[in-house]
Amino acid sequence: MRTWSFGWIALVPTLVMAQSPAGVVRGRVVTAEDGRPIQTALVRILNQHGSETTHADGRFLIAGVPTGTHRIMVSAIGYRAYSAVVAVRAADTVDLAIVLPESVLQLEEIVTVGGVGARAQSDALSPTSVVSAAALDRQLDGTVAASLRHQPGVASGGISPSTAQPVIRGLSGDRVVMLQDGIRAGDLASTSADHAITVDPLTAQRIEVVRGPMSLLYGSSALGGVVNVVREEIPATLPDALHGTISAQASSVNRGAALGGFATRAFGRRVTGRIEGTFRGAGDTRTPAGPLVNTGVSTVDVAAGASWIGERGHAGVSYRFYDTDYGIPGGFVGGHPTGVDIAMQRHSIRSTAERHPAAGRWESLRADAAVTFYRHTEAEPSGAVGTRFRQDFATVNLTARHRRFLGAKSGAIGFAGQFRDIETGGTLRTPSTRDFSVAGFVIQEFGTGPIRIQAGVRYDVARYEPRRITTISVGADRVSTVPRTFGSFSASFGGLADLGGGFKAGGSIARAYRTPDFNELYSNGPHLASNSYDVGDPRLTAEAGLGIDGFVRLERSGVRAEVAGFRNRLSNYIFPSSRGRAVIGRQGGRPLFQFTNEAARFTGAEGTVEIVLARRLAFEATASYVAAVFTKVRAAIPVISSDPPDTTFVPAASEPPLIPPAFGTAELRYETPNVFAGAGARWAARQARVGDFETPTAGYVVGDLHAGFRTLIGGQFHTFTLRVDNVGNKQYRDHLSRIKEIAPQPGRNVSLLYRITF
């Protein structure tokens, strides 16, 4: 028998006789203060998809762990997270005795996006945020974007509460990739402000945000960053008991309610099944100036998945059905007087297979595939269809991670393919379009000591094929909607250095790439719900970005901080420009936006800090700033149309549209494993740097409160979280809101979240 001690963890491996070449990791998690067992602590094995939650006696068991060296991470709400490296031999059982001290900070989290395999957040080579556990309970809202409002560098924009979309470093829409368990959602949220993201956060285990260009890993469009909602929809672990959560949430500002949950259990010795469901409903959102009419929502989101778990891998499949109906308010210039109703449906089928070879060059071989069928209808109050979309979407990703090879300590090669068939209808005269893309990439990581380096390259090819050839008026030209093919390299080089004393510093330089989307190439017609008359340009050039990033991290027992700065130059930046004009003729007063290329530069900084002021008292603050300018602005171009010559010209803007002002948060938080409370504020500075059809927005400070408790009842873990947003019912306007001219942000909101973990 051998015993090792790593701080609070004692590891006692015991050899057992078994025929299986895989091993077993089991143990018990207790408190450092009095040795009580910790229930629902999460135990994870990085890059092996092994995870388990502890039972009422603090015990856990993870079977089928491949032989080799693995990093074990253990976390529990109200306790300091810890990790250690253990060696698992063939037919071994590794027994862990884990002791966790209380802490208001959890210093270690797992990040699965933005690098080669899963890793601790402190080891990520890009600025990263993770919202999970206690933070997710405190910040959970009705949309993913609203749930991220306390994260540095992340703002929220949209045209109604239901359509909130994340804005990272001033970039939004198609430049922020939304993933669900590492796979694109397959909706059309990125194409317009009135399109909702079809991912509900209620049953999320955690939400990961990686800021900065990510085209190397996620292809064209990942210029701003990546948001990944982790659910483990396809289970990858064989649990030793039934596990899951049941959550209920209510909010006063819209008389909303949501109920959701998931459960995972084993069926025999090889099969794991998982079911999930969320049901959400809300009425009109109330503001200090009165109700925001036609902003209700009704959502059903259900899923089921199953996996076969082998000794060195797993294979599984899942099905998800998402259905939502929500309103877009009216009353603004160009919009319908009483708003527009939108109905969406999404059916998706996913499959995953992964194998971990026992020896040789390859550490893992993984294949992911998904097929999505998406339907979208925008209807006027009369029932007449204004705009209609149908999208069939398929994607496949093949990734092979290797061990040491040609001097690299680890790395990956991969292939990605994507196909979309989009059919349009209604008043939007954009032709139906098919597009496909293929890509290959190589990433290598070097160094095992205090300095690690990552380098990689990727090549993408994409083609767009409209089903019919029409013409679009682009300025004085009539341009045909011809097929287009794009191809380009993406590359990045970065590093992370451990400076000692809890300090780490990193940086990267990346060439990113983005193709125009179908709506930017071929749009031609009014889009009532988004208050615009959209005109594409089939001659658009693909965007190319050169981004430079640098950051410093500090992680100690009493403090956690990260400060990052960035500069991103985008040649041929694509955006909907008025080019100094507003059309008020037959377009009904809606601003006419022409998608065009301009050179732009985005520069900024962001940071977050958490400081332990006393044993159970912590202060947390974030701050973000981005400045964006066009480095070369074209002159206004007159409109040639059959409308009467009543076009009104305004000066062309020198700023890209919808750039957030400086913003941030500050919070004082008291937390124990059982009781927690906090008071804080969200703030934003005045934004006077505006784009076409934008007006300056005043700054604001809004106060928030939260409190709650956690307790064991009947062997299950119960959490009650009461939150009050905008305590003073302050009237303020968000610069990124597309309807800020007619309505302020929501007023005082009292919300209650009740969660059972078993």
Side-chain angles (χ1 to χ4, degrees):
M1 180 177 292
R2 302 183 301 272
T3 301
W4 296 273
S5 179
F6 296 88
W8 297 283
I9 297 183
L11 308 178
V12 187
T14 304
L15 184 65
V16 296
M17 299 301 296
Q19 299 300 317
S20 171
V24 173
V25 176
R26 68 186 182 190
R28 189 166 184 254
V29 183
V30 300
T31 65
E33 286 69 26
D34 53 16
R36 289 182 296 106
I38 300 176
Q39 186 177 358
T40 70
L42 182 59
V43 184
R44 292 171 284 191
I45 303 178
L46 266 63
N47 292 319
Q48 301 298 321
H49 302 287
S51 66
E52 183 65 283
T53 55
T54 56
H55 305 302
D57 59 359
R59 298 189 181 277
F60 67 91
L61 184 147
I62 304 175
V65 180
T67 58
T69 300
H70 305 288
R71 177 174 289 275
I72 308 292
M73 296 189 67
V74 183
S75 60
I77 293 177
Y79 297 90
R80 184 181 304 164
Y82 193 80
S83 66
V85 176
V86 298
V88 177
R89 299 178 181 176
D92 259 5
T93 293
V94 179
D95 286 321
L96 309 181
I98 302 171
V99 181
L100 300 181
E102 291 185 14
S103 174
V104 295
L105 303 183
Q106 295 186 38
L107 299 184
E108 289 280 24
E109 253 299 352
I110 288 179
V111 179
T112 59
V113 295
V116 181
R119 64 191 62 205
Q121 184 180 350
S122 61
D123 292 331
L125 274 74
S126 299
T128 303
S129 302
V130 179
V131 184
S132 67
L136 187 59
D137 286 346
R138 294 193 304 268
Q139 300 170 23
L140 186 67
D141 216 305
T143 64
V144 173
S147 301
L148 296 175
R149 63 186 177 182
H150 287 262
Q151 305 312 304
V154 184
S156 176
I159 205 167
S160 78
S162 299
T163 65
Q165 299 185 16
V167 179
I168 300 180
R169 295 180 170 182
L171 297 174
S172 59
D174 194 38
R175 297 175 185 87
V176 175
V177 174
M178 176 63 62
L179 304 175
Q180 188 166 254
D181 285 338
I183 298 293
R184 294 184 185 238
D187 55 30
L188 289 175
S190 63
T191 62
S192 182
D194 63 301
H195 297 180
I197 294 172
T198 58
V199 179
D200 194 287
L202 186 63
T203 56
Q205 296 182 30
R206 66 182 185 275
I207 305 175
E208 305 170 346
V209 181
V210 180
R211 306 184 297 276
M214 288 287 117
S215 294
L216 185 66
L217 287 167
Y218 302 102
S220 172
S221 77
L223 272 72
V226 175
V227 176
N228 184 37
V229 178
V230 178
R231 304 183 189 278
E232 296 186 6
E233 181 178 306
I234 299 177
T237 303
L238 196 69
D240 63 343
L242 178 69
H243 290 300
T245 66
I246 299 174
S247 304
Q249 189 174 31
S251 55
S252 66
V253 77
N254 56 7
R255 294 183 174 89
L259 176 66
F262 73 91
T264 304
R265 63 158 295 180
F267 296 88
R269 300 183 60 184
R270 291 297 185 194
V271 177
T272 300
R274 182 184 185 276
I275 58 172
E276 176 195 329
T278 295
F279 307 90
R280 182 181 298 276
D284 291 339
T285 298
R286 288 178 289 178
T287 77
L292 189 54
V293 178
N294 200 45
T295 53
V297 62
S298 175
T299 301
V300 175
D301 184 14
V302 294
S307 291
W308 181 88
I309 312 297
E311 295 172 350
R312 294 203 163 273
H314 73 283
V317 65
S318 68
Y319 166 76
R320 179 175 293 274
F321 172 71
Y322 183 96
D323 182 278
T324 186
D325 294 271
Y326 61 91
I328 299 295
F332 47 83
V333 175
H336 196 284
T338 56
V340 174
D341 295 319
I342 297 181
M344 290 182 183
Q345 281 192 351
R346 177 168 69 93
H347 299 265
S348 59
I349 301 171
R350 296 186 49 181
S351 62
T352 295
E354 183 167 18
R355 178 168 175 76
H356 299 272
R361 176 176 300 167
W362 302 109
E363 182 178 354
S364 73
L365 305 171
R366 183 180 177 96
D368 294 283
V371 179
T372 299
F373 305 97
Y374 173 86
R375 304 294 182 266
H376 174 125
T377 302
E378 302 175 7
E380 300 179 20
S382 65
V385 174
T387 305
R388 184 176 62 250
F389 294 97
R390 177 193 62 77
Q391 175 178 267
D392 297 336
F393 176 86
T395 183
V396 61
N397 296 297
L398 306 175
T399 307
R401 291 192 296 113
H402 65 73
R403 300 179 176 93
R404 293 184 179 274
F405 178 62
L406 297 178
K409 72 159 190 173
S410 64
I413 62 173
F415 166 85
Q418 177 180 298
F419 172 79
R420 290 191 306 176
D421 185 359
I422 300 171
E423 182 180 288
T424 61
T427 58
L428 190 66
R429 296 197 297 267
T430 304
S432 299
T433 305
R434 295 186 183 94
D435 67 74
F436 64 88
S437 63
V438 293
F441 66 88
V442 178
I443 302 175
Q444 300 293 310
E445 290 193 2
F446 304 87
T448 57
I451 297 179
R452 291 171 38 226
I453 294 173
Q454 184 186 87
V457 65
R458 177 185 179 111
Y459 189 78
D460 286 81
V461 175
R463 181 170 174 81
Y464 294 84
E465 297 179 345
R467 294 190 188 178
R468 58 188 175 88
I469 304 300
T470 62
T471 58
I472 298 175
S473 293
V474 182
D477 300 329
R478 297 291 293 180
V479 182
S480 297
T481 56
V482 296
R484 294 291 307 277
T485 301
F486 302 90
S488 183
F489 278 101
S490 303
S492 72
F493 180 85
L496 180 69
D498 190 338
L499 306 178
F503 283 96
K504 292 183 180 180
S508 65
I509 181 169
R511 183 190 188 276
Y513 159 76
R514 174 181 176 267
T515 65
D517 206 358
F518 81 99
N519 60 306
E520 296 168 336
L521 290 169
Y522 306 126
S523 286
N524 185 26
H527 197 168
L528 186 64
S530 64
N531 181 33
S532 63
Y533 190 99
D534 300 332
V535 180
D537 188 344
R539 304 169 301 184
L540 287 175
T541 302
E543 294 180 11
L546 183 63
I548 300 175
D549 231 296
F551 60 88
V552 176
R553 292 192 185 113
L554 173 62
E555 294 222 4
R556 292 179 179 171
S557 59
V559 62
R560 181 184 70 84
E562 180 179 271
V563 178
F566 62 91
R567 185 181 180 90
N568 196 4
R569 296 183 64 93
L570 297 176
S571 61
N572 300 313
Y573 175 70
I574 301 169
F575 74 106
S577 169
S578 75
R579 290 192 176 177
R581 65 190 179 230
V583 174
I584 59 174
R586 214 163 50 188
Q587 281 74 25
R590 283 181 293 278
L592 187 149
F593 287 107
Q594 171 75 67
F595 287 100
T596 188
N597 289 119
E598 302 282 3
R601 181 178 66 244
F602 293 72
T603 306
E606 69 231 357
T608 181
V609 61
E610 290 182 85
I611 302 173
V612 177
L613 303 178
R615 179 185 173 191
R616 294 173 173 173
L617 189 66
F619 174 76
E620 180 178 359
T622 68
S624 307
Y625 173 76
V626 59
V629 296
F630 290 126
T631 55
K632 183 179 180 181
V633 182
R634 303 179 188 179
I637 300 175
V639 178
I640 305 298
S641 72
S642 60
D643 291 339
D646 54 3
T647 300
T648 300
F649 288 87
V650 295
S654 61
E655 314 282 344
L658 297 173
I659 301 300
F663 65 95
T665 63
E667 184 178 63
L668 190 65
R669 192 173 73 249
Y670 173 84
E671 185 149 1
T672 74
N674 302 111
V675 179
F676 56 94
R682 291 172 283 129
W683 61 268
R686 170 180 167 82
Q687 178 59 295
R689 300 165 64 98
V690 296
D692 294 330
F693 291 101
E694 288 187 296
T695 56
T697 308
Y700 61 83
V701 178
V702 177
D704 299 327
L705 298 172
H706 76 267
F709 64 93
R710 312 177 186 99
T711 185
L712 284 171
I713 302 176
Q716 282 128 17
F717 197 63
H718 298 250
T719 303
F720 298 82
T721 305
L722 178 68
R723 195 176 76 216
V724 184
D725 299 328
N726 192 2
V727 174
N729 200 36
K730 182 181 179 65
Q731 181 170 307
Y732 70 102
R733 298 174 194 267
D734 190 323
H735 185 72
L736 299 187
S737 170
R738 303 293 183 98
I739 56 172
K740 67 175 183 176
E741 301 297 337
I742 66 166
Q745 290 298 106
R748 182 186 299 112
N749 180 37
V750 180
S751 66
L752 176 66
L753 174 67
Y754 171 48
R755 198 189 299 272
I756 305 173
T757 305
F758 54 90

